Amino acid sequence: MSTTIQTSNTVVEVHEAADLGATRRAVRDAAVQVRLPQAQTEAAQLAVTELASNIVRHAGGDGYVLVRALPDAGGMEVLAVDRGPGIDERATAVAGVCRTVGFADGLGVGLGSVHRLAMDFDLYARRSRGTVVLARFWQHTAPAPASALSSGGVSLAVVPLEANGDAWAIAREDEGEDGDEAFLLVDGLGHGANAHRAADVASSIFAAEYHGDLALWFERANAGMLQTRGGVAAIARVDRTRNVVQFAGVGNIAGRVVTGAGSRGLISRPGLIGTEIRPPRPHVVEVPWPAGSVMLLWSDGLTSRVMLDDYPGLIHHDPAVIAGVLHRDFGKGRDDATIIVVQDRSSGR
Ligand SMILES: [Mn+2]
């Protein structure tokens, strides 16, 4: 069992050229946190400068940059998100090719240089709906995938620079390609420092005491969170042997599993954890998880109707890009907001 509590994103709004410096500083802070070598730090700063200037020049300054440290893997990621006119949809196809053949010239708008600088690169654009570009930087080389599950997310405090009252974590229950993995999403009541503390206690209990039993975690988390203002949470556990997702949620955490055959909602039970001595009793539901499935889990900082239907091809993109697009389009902007994306790559696509 190895559990990693995930870091929140830092957001820098980009409206005009004067905002570029703040994007570079956010990148530098994350780079320091994960001990990125000088060369990679400079590459990341150059890339974010290019991405942020694109937002100013081509998206009318209607966008932002999300920066996230990836301390366990020794890296960091930058998502440039805008609501601009969108690069031609062909560019998305070109970016798909770029990832495999390493050629990105001809995209225009400086994306070619970002692609050369970044160690992972992805892009999703739709005409009149905006663009999301991903650039990742690692200490050395990109780590080999730990399993056939690929995951990413966006988690953001409603007030920039305020503590995030949402938290998420990943537990890899066994080593190897086909190990089971569990994903925790917790939302501390309200927002700010006290919500953050509740979420922090819940994710720490997940890291220390979760061993594959969803209902037991809810009991332990309820007891631990009694010292806090409490919150809501869900765990989705991908059982790779039986090819099912086990889901248990209490309160406003929603989920969806998208497969070739359609999509299934993951429904939480109403209630709270950490507010009453008697622990809540979550229902553990199971839904099929065929090869190539994608799961979304999100907190109530996004609307309840998060769907991939309006986004042709998005499902095949990097989970962080999927999270960036859905967070932009379904975020309510009134609460801490988190969306986790889990992708099964074992279909060999
Ligand atoms: Mn909330």
Side-chain angles (χ1 to χ4, degrees):
M1 178 79 58
S2 76
T3 304
T4 55
I5 298 171
Q6 300 294 307
T7 50
S8 295
N9 299 77
T10 298
V11 61
V12 181
E13 295 283 338
V14 176
H15 305 301
E16 52 188 27
D19 298 324
L20 268 53
T23 69
R24 280 193 293 272
R25 284 191 293 278
V27 161
R28 190 195 54 208
D29 290 349
V32 167
Q33 199 184 329
V34 300
R35 299 197 183 90
L36 214 62
Q38 185 69 21
Q40 275 85 311
T41 304
E42 284 169 11
Q45 289 188 299
L46 271 173
V48 80
T49 304
E50 192 59 54
L51 292 169
S53 351
N54 275 345
I55 294 174
V56 175
R57 282 182 297 183
H58 302 288
D62 187 4
Y64 49 91
V65 165
L66 299 173
V67 179
R68 190 163 92 91
L70 307 167
D72 296 299
M76 56 169 296
E77 70 186 19
V78 174
L79 283 170
V81 182
D82 72 58
R83 301 181 191 85
I87 300 161
D88 192 294
E89 280 169 39
R90 279 172 303 170
T92 297
V94 173
V97 174
C98 290
R99 278 185 293 174
T100 50
V101 302
F103 177 78
D105 283 314
L107 274 182
V109 297
L111 281 174
S113 67
V114 175
H115 178 243
R116 280 189 297 274
L117 290 162
M119 295 160 92
D120 287 334
F121 177 83
D122 192 16
L123 174 154
Y124 185 78
R126 287 200 63 200
R127 195 184 289 285
S128 77
R129 301 277 292 271
T131 302
V132 172
V133 186
L134 165 72
R136 273 198 205 97
F137 302 87
W138 303 103
Q139 285 167 350
H140 307 291
T141 52
S147 81
L149 290 183
S150 173
S151 53
V154 166
S155 183
L156 209 54
V158 61
V159 180
L161 305 180
E162 191 180 71
N164 188 358
D166 285 2
W168 65 291
I170 306 172
R172 297 212 158 85
E173 298 186 14
D174 349 74
E175 299 298 316
E177 263 280 286
D178 50 6
D180 301 332
E181 287 184 37
F183 299 84
L184 170 77
L185 175 50
V186 52
D187 173 0
L189 279 177
H191 59 89
N194 287 332
H196 174 74
R197 185 162 165 269
D200 191 46
V201 166
S203 45
S204 301
I205 291 168
F206 186 69
E209 299 183 38
Y210 170 78
H211 294 286
D213 185 333
L214 279 57
L216 183 61
W217 178 83
F218 276 90
E219 254 175 56
R220 302 268 171 88
N222 188 71
M225 289 172 79
L226 286 172
Q227 314 303 319
T228 74
R229 61 163 69 165
V232 301
I235 298 176
R237 177 176 184 273
V238 182
D239 184 322
R240 307 283 315 289
T241 315
R242 295 170 51 232
N243 288 319
V244 294
V245 170
Q246 295 181 309
F247 176 86
V250 171
N252 252 341
I253 305 286
R256 185 178 294 283
V257 171
V258 183
T259 70
S263 120
R264 291 272 296 267
L266 302 170
I267 313 291
S268 290
R269 209 178 158 151
L272 295 168
I273 52 175
T275 56
E276 290 175 53
I277 304 274
R278 202 164 63 95
R281 293 248 199 92
H283 289 301
V284 180
V285 295
E286 282 192 359
V287 304
W289 180 261
S293 297
V294 170
M295 175 166 64
L296 312 173
L297 293 174
W298 66 93
S299 70
D300 65 356
L302 287 80
T303 69
S304 57
R305 301 194 177 275
V306 175
M307 277 186 270
L308 284 164
D309 306 28
D310 281 347
Y311 302 90
L314 178 60
I315 199 165
H316 301 299
H317 280 264
D318 189 287
V321 169
I322 300 174
V325 169
L326 298 176
H327 176 271
R328 175 193 66 194
D329 293 351
F330 292 95
K332 295 191 239 172
R334 294 195 299 269
D335 196 359
D336 305 325
T338 302
I339 179 158
I340 307 172
V341 179
V342 182
Q343 216 171 32
D344 180 296
R345 293 182 180 274
S346 60
S347 65
R349 67 177 178 219

